[in-house]
Amino acid sequence: MSDQKTDAKTYKKSLNLPKTAFPMKANLVQNEPASQKRWDKMGLYQKLREKDHPAGRYAFHDGPPYANASLHLGHLLNKALKDFVVRTKTMAGYDVPYVPGWDCHGLPIEHKVMQELGDKAKQMEPIQVRRKCKTYAEKSVKLQSGQMQRLLTLADYKDPYLTMNPRYEGAVLDVFADLVDRDVVYRGLKPVHWSIENQTALAEAELEYYDREDTSVFVKFDRVDGQGSLMIWTTTPWTLPANLAVAVHERYEYGEYEVDGKTVVVAVELAKKVLGEEAEPKKIVKGVELVGLEYKHPFIDRVGKVVSADYVTLEDGTGLVHTAPGHGVEDYQTGLREGLDVYCPVKDDGTFDDTAPEWLRGVSVWKGNDLVVDRLRASGHLFHAEQFSHSYPHDWRGKSPVIFRATEQWFVDVNKSFDVAGTSGTMRERALDVTAEGVGFIPQWGKNRMRGMLDSRPDWCLSRQRAWGLPIPAFYPPKGIEGEPLLTPASVRAVAQLFREKGSDAWFFTAPDELLVHYDAVGDPDAPDWAKQGSPAEFVAGADIFDVWFESGSSWNAVMRQRGLAKPDDAPSVTDLYLEGSDQHRGWFQLSLLPCLGSLGKPPFANVLTHGFMVDKDGRKMSKSDGNALSVDELFKDYGADVCRWWVSGLNTDNDIKVDSEYFRLAGEEYRKVRNTLRFLLSNLDGFDFKQDKTRFEDADASSIDAWMTRAVTKLSDTVTAAYEGFHFRKAHEAMFNFCNDTLSAVYLTAVKDRLYCDNPDSARRRRTQTTIYRVSTVLIRLLAPLMPHTADEAWRALTGDKEACVHLLPFQDVGCMKQIPMNDGWGAVMTARDGWLKSIEEARQVKGIDNPLDCGVSVPQVKDADVSAFDMTDLADLCGVSRFALDASLDAPDIDDLRDEPRCERSWKRDGTVKTRSDGGMLSDRDAQALGLT
RNA sequence: GGGCUCAUAGCUCAGUUGGCAGAGCGCACCCCUGAUAAGGGUGAGGUCGCAGGUUCAAGUCCUGCUGGGCCCA
């Protein structure tokens, strides 16, 4: 026994065992940053710009994350997907310049800075606040940029776009000038969601809805005709001072009921709920008959009237709706139709102004609620008051409740027709048109979603009353002079030029005549008279800033066009692709689409690709306060970027994405499987010089397992490149994993191990297999490169033996030549039959007690649907992991032979029937003896 | 409350035009020890969220419901 062992050791040394510098342990945490540095040093991004691009330009535009705090998982997903696009398109032959960007202005940063400043903020000028905000934004950009680079994303990090940069700001104003030119920008009084806390109008996107307890009141409005009263219901008693009308639905039935000896009008369907079960109407009328009735305001000397409105429902209240045009969008629209004032007695700070009754002046609306209720109770107008919980809008940052309040704002009219680029239509119509056709949505339902949102969207309120943003470059007449604000295409473009030179900070400390140094009112046909006649030094610069969405929504111009990265001017869109979370249908997608249609008459994107949101492993919303959010930095530290990227690439991103640290562990195991397969490929190329040692295509054997393998890798290449082309990263991921796990590891590599180890190093068969392994490696490593850039590059350098090599400079491997290698058609059937053979072997091993498959021989009568006469039986034996494979037409079914009585080759461990004692005294097969030069 | 959307094995997901439920992971058992903090083989697992309907036939089409997600009110 001990002799045998010694012999075995001797023979082991004679084997060509795998050897490689590509380690099993990835050590991504240390090695990935090193890769990143290496790419930076070699100028990878720049080099990619300079090389040939046979496929032309692919215009892909990064949507700017908000420059606030650390990246979260949503960013990781988004940035990884974007990087897959950049890298797959690059390797497909496109030039994909990619400028990362950040949204820097806006309330979240300003709010944070104001919180940090505390009371000090009150004494500070806007410009001082802005400087603090800028510092904060810069800090966030730096942090996030570092994290994005740690994710190994390929982008122009040396020159990103920041929405607060002067050249960006100038380009936003250029877009705005175009909209002013189209005459769709107007100033109007309109109720908007108003944050008392931040004293600004809020966009829909800046609201969050929470349940809130309010006092709801049933109030009797006395009819002017003395026939009793109308009962209204409201959850916002503080808006009653602004009540100008009561709305009813024309088709509903309203009844007159006796309450405490007096008559009140309530919708019939709601009467029992409001007045009690025994309520019986004395008289029933249709709503339409009430229209025009007048009533006395309960505590203000004013007469209101009954109007009709479709939005009146019978779900809550009384069917008679308190209407205050200054405090609600629907009320406002009703007011417009009925010619009511947009009356709003509430000031910026949420207190009542001097037009309100004396007892409310200077009081906050929240306190006003109680005062109004007390007043109504005292005067006998209050029928009932109760606590009521309802969903109520809150400021998304401060979480404080907002109110509806009429204010002067700048708007973009989405319903006004204009001409541009030879077409005519409103912004809404144009947006609906390109959504219906022209823009591709992935997944397709994005189209419906976008359409639904466009159908219902109101005019875009552009203005905010804050410090941290891009000023709306409007000028107002000097005190004492009446007139429209100065805001013309020329005046806006003049300020745009100034902002490019000095930045928008200039607005806050520069005299108006200097702000307008590039502008000549006299020569501007659109300028109001006061501006032509007056001195610019006297003009009053406006205090409004833009909705941040207008800034990010102009990025197609401020980045892609301004930097010369857009598609040609005559192309039907500015870029090829935008890729963001599905929430951006309402956000960035739509708010980029509208300005671009206004400015150029065409959409900013040809395709919109969206992904879903992260949820926890039970499918619930992720939230920081629940502590179920994973830290991106921790993930990099625990798993590495390539593992995180591999995880992303395996997701179905159309819908919700479940996330849990466990999934990263699983992704890590898959990664290791892929890595080990690469390692085994590389380790069997030790000493193999492709140029010298390769088997030429024309020498390939169509019936060899190598022919099958070569065909398989060309199929993989086709599958994966097609998947990449359609952004089906998951499909590519799956195909590559299965290829590594099954095609390579379980089938091919297991089968060819014997010849790689035991054949003479220079044997034609071994060289043919190494040639195949080399070809597989070049295809596979390149296909993996977009998903795991570090690992692929590491493998590529190991494959080429060139420390300077970089896989990311290469295109995907052209497999055209490999497809020319003929393959025996029988291989498909052989692989199918193999499953059955393995089952038979397993069965025989159980029955006959054979542990090692190499102690088996397989005999089959035929291979179903295949002519294997030209096949090498050794290939088939190796495919089954057995020592021998034979065709025996006399059999009825596959037969497994127990070979344990036959001698075993001490070198290859096979019992192939040729084993005998050789000149060195060892028991060897013919092949092994030959490999050792023995007889 | 409305728009869009999702629900298939323990987990992650495939399932074209309706036609016998699939893959990978995990798990169990076994092998190998010359890919070794590796590798190979076999196997068990599902009332396709629930309830109706259309059809010879429904995971797939229709309606309703339940429970998630995004957006809006």
Side-chain angles (χ1 to χ4, degrees), chain A residues 400-414:
Chain A
S400 59
V402 306
I403 60 171
F404 253 110
R405 177 174 171 271
T407 53
E408 285 249 297
Q409 301 291 346
W410 289 101
F411 289 91
V412 171
D413 191 333
V414 297

Side-chain angles (χ1 to χ4, degrees), chain A residues 410-446:
Chain A
W410 289 101
F411 289 91
V412 171
D413 191 333
V414 297
N415 293 317
K416 183 169 181 181
S417 186
F418 59 91
D419 296 335
V420 62
T423 61
S424 188
T426 69
M427 219 172 250
R428 193 196 307 278
E429 289 162 357
R430 289 166 185 274
L432 284 168
D433 281 353
V434 297
T435 298
E437 53 184 309
V439 174
F441 287 86
I442 310 162
Q444 269 222 318
W445 49 257

